[in-house]
């Protein structure tokens, strides 16, 4: 007891241990280091010494510390800040203060230099110190000290509750356009965008200030503000198709444009070789497996005229474009190998081109081959309505060898001639509009789209809406990867800068302002989502009659696929024989083989129903048909097929199916068997239960499960049927959670003919 460490005492006295030791040593009290202990006598001696030194005149201190006029004491500790402050003031008096630590120490403490008037009556000194104090205050932002804490609290309170500037009154009606965002609406309502956002969030609509708002949202907002809402009458910027038509129909400044050609035909008939020859490059040699991989688009020059070629990987892509309303091809060059003749995909190509009302030029290829028989091929093609001019028809036929280049020039001449007859024109001076040929997500570049400019001229930095997405044209390159600044009508280019990947066949339109492009893009994305949900526009056999009536349909489009050509022909002619007043049956495409994706896209493009006889859709076609709600009907009796189509056209729709209950059984006991799961011991209380029947499991008058019986047994034997009043054991397929007291209701599906 009574012993104290040096550093503890130093702290109590607000000084460093070193200072304390120096002072003590001066008074003859020997202290070794700051860890030394002092007894009570030593402690009181040290305290005395320190007190005495503090009571001595400042001049003394001054002297002791600052005789050299060069105090570089950077070591001030937190504990001795008081003496530091004093010291610094004293030093500054000396006009030579280098105490850099002062600032940091002072900022940690609230002590301010005190007035020295009590120490020195000198006016100058006083004024100097006041100046110093003001500087201190300024530097340390301590002017608040002029106020007491209470004063400051009152000030804050006053500030918070200061009467706000009165908000400007709301307009009586909110005149809006769809696609406005919270900022736009805030301006109209004289409210901060943040307030609008908050209001929307309160309404359960999560948005930010920049998000374009739909009609419903804006009207809801108006209701929340107790004001009316009225949509401003103006062109709906989201309606790309309308804009596209407007641009297309813009007849001002029309100038001739290059024709856009699609090369179509059966696999290996020489599409790529022809294109390759035209470009004098070697695309075919580089292609993986020799099969065309991408939709390429290329331009070539012949006799000073430009021709744009699209090389499609298949007819499905062509129809997919058409399905989205894109009419990008002016002419189809149908390549048919002279040694192979008309093949299924040749027919498919003809049907796709016809459905798109695109003229066809036939190129009979590989005439250099030994087995080539162009005449035979021409003959075959006449069956599909392609009759050469010299035989009295109006289709241009050219016999070529893509490999050797034989007659390729003639083919080009014919293309140019046909294009001239078609008077293809466009206005390069308007905003660009066109279609997507191909698109992908590139790791480095982001969404990339190959587009065909059909109208106007596209420029770098153009704000653009493509399908359901939007962006700014960041980069633009031609088919050889050369950067372009602008691209006129019929020019294929690859662009980047879109916010997401569009689809082949999507249309694009350039806008004047990015804001409008964004609003239109966002709105179209919303619309697309809604449409995907609805999908009620497609014709099915069951809605055929009502759709025909509703849309005043004069034609029923059908696609027929069958196992053998004989069946195709039989179905084809029988269907054409159906006579329903004012309605025509149109077979868009018929062929042998499974229902494939190409059939589904063609059906989608032409709003056709697919009829399959003894064939099934491929898994991909099935998925696609489900996605696009294309109606695929499968038959194994020709008569049924014809009859159903006839009935549907006459409004005698396909029968509806109805559940017919055959019997009920009460679950009385349960047995668990590891092999089969839960066996329900039942009593048939009504009707009969058939083996493998469809059932509803009913608990408390609610259907808890719908499925099928997995087994039905009487004692240990399988039963075909168990009648009312008999006991039986049942298991349900994929279901074990049966409970005593449940009712198993057996039913069948019965066709109910429609009236
Ligand atoms: N002898 C001869 N061979 C040709 C001619 N045109 C194409 N070929 C050959 O036929 C094969 C198929 O040609 P491609 O150009 O790849 O056929 P494609 O129609 O583009 O085929 P896909 O891309 O698979 O649809 C290649 O081996 C070509 O060399 C021709 O005029 N004469």
């Amino acid at each position: 007891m009574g012993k104290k460490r040096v550093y503890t005492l130093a702290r109590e006295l607000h000084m460093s241990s070193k200072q304390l030791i120096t002072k003590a040593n001066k008074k003859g009290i020997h202290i070794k280091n700051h860890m030394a202990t002092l007894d009570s006598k030593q402690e009181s001696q040290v305290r005395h010494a320190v007190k005495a030194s503090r009571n001595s005149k400042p001049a003394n201190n001054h002297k002791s510390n600052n005789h050299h006029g060069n105090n570089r004491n950077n070591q001030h500790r937190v504990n001795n800040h008081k003496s530091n402050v004093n010291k610094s003031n004293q030093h500054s008096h000396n006009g030579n203060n280098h105490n850099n630590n002062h600032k940091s120490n002072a900022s940690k403490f609230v002590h301010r230099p005190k007035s020295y008037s009590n120490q020195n009556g000198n006016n100058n000194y006083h004024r100097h110190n006041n100046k110093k104090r003001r500087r201190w205050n300024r530097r340390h932002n301590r002017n608040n000290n002029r106020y007491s804490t209470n004063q400051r609290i009152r000030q804050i309170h006053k500030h918070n509750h200061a009467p706000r500037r009165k908000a400007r009154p709301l307009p009586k009606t909110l005149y809006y356009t769809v696609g406005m965002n919270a900022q736009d609406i805030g301006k109209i309502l004289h409210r901060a965008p943040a307030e609008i956002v908050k209001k929307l969030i309160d309404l359960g609509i999560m948005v930010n200030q920049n998000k374009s708002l739909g009609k419903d949202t804006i009207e809801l907002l108006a209701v929340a503000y107790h004001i009316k809402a009225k949509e401003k009458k103006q062109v709906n910027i989201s309606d790309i198709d309308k804009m596209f038509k407007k641009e297309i129909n813009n007849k001002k400044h029309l100038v001739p444009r290059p024709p856009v050609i699609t090369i179509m035909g059966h696999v290996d008939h020489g599409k790529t070789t022809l294109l390759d020859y035209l470009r004098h490059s070697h695309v075919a040699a580089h292609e993986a497996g020799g099969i065309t991989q991408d939709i390429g688009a290329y331009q070539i020059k012949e006799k000073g005229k430009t021709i744009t070629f699209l090389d499609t990987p298949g007819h499905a892509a062509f129809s997919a474009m058409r399905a989205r309303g894109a009419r990008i091809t002016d002419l189809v060059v149908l390549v048919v190998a002279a040694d192979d003749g008309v093949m299924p995909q040749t027919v498919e190509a003809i049907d796709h081109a016809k459905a798109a009302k695109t003229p066809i030029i036939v190129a009979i290829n590989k005439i250099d081959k030994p087995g080539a028989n162009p005449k035979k091929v021409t003959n075959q093609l006449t069956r599909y309505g392609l009759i050469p001019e010299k035989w009295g028809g109006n289709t241009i036929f050219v016999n070529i060898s893509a490999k050797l280049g034989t007659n390729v020039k003639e083919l080009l001449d014919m293309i140019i001639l046909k294009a001239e007859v078609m008077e293809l024109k466009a206005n390069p001076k308007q905003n660009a509009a066109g279609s997507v040929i191909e698109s992908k997500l590139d790791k480095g570049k982001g969404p990339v789209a190959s587009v065909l400019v059909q109208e106007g001229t596209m420029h770098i930095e153009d704000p653009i809406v493509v399908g359901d997405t939007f962006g700014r044209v960041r980069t633009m390159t031609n088919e050889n990867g050369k950067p372009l600044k602008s691209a006129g009508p019929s020019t294929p280019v690859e662009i980047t800068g879109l916010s997401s990947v569009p689809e082949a066949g999507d249309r694009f339109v350039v806008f004047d302002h990015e804001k409008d492009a964004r609003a239109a893009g966002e709105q179209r994305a919303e619309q697309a989502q809604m449409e995907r949900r609805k999908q009620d526009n497609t014709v099915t056999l069951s809605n055929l009659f009502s759709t025909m009536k509703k849309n005043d349909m004069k034609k029923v489009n059908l696609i027929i696929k069958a196992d053998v050509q004989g069946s195709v022909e039989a179905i084809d002619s029988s269907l054409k024989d159906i006579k329903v007043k004012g309605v025509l049956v149109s077979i868009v495409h018929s062929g042998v083989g499974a229902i494939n994706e190409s059939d589904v896209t063609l059906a989608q493009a032409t709003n056709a129903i697919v009829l399959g006889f003894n064939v099934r859709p491929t898994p991909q076609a099935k998925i696609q048909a489900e996605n696009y709600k294309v109606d695929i009907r499968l038959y194994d009796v020709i008569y049924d097929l014809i009859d159903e189509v006839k009935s549907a056209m006459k409004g005698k729709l396909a029968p509806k199916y109805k559940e017919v209950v055959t019997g009920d059984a009460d679950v009385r006991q349960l047995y668990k068997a590891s092999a089969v799961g839960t066996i329900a011991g039942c009593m048939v209380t009504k009707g009969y239960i058939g083996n493998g029947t469809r059932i509803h499991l009913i608990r408390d008058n609610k259907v808890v499960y719908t499925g099928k019986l997995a087994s039905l047994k009487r004692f240990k034997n399988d039963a075909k049927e168990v009648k009312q009043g008999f006991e039986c054991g049942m298991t349900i397929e994929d279901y074990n959670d049966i409970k005593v007291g449940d009712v198993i209701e057996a039913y069948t599906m019965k066709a109910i003919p429609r009236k």
Side-chain angles (χ1 to χ4, degrees), residues 268-273 291-292 365-366 368-369 401-403:
D268 279 351
H269 277 201
K271 301 182 288 289
T272 311
T273 310
I291 289 179
T292 308
N365 190 29
K366 306 194 188 184
D368 60 296
K369 277 191 127 182
S401 166
K403 199 172 176 181

Side-chain angles (χ1 to χ4, degrees), residues 448-489:
V448 176
S450 297
V451 300
L452 179 74
V453 178
Q454 293 176 269
E455 286 296 328
T457 300
M458 188 191 269
H459 304 273
I460 283 280
E461 288 299 311
D462 270 351
I464 188 170
V465 173
V466 187
D468 308 330
T469 185
F470 62 95
R472 225 173 223 288
V473 180
R474 205 168 55 214
T475 62
M476 182 158 58
T477 46
N478 72 2
E479 73 262 28
N480 301 318
K482 190 182 151 212
L484 301 177
K485 286 215 165 96
S486 60

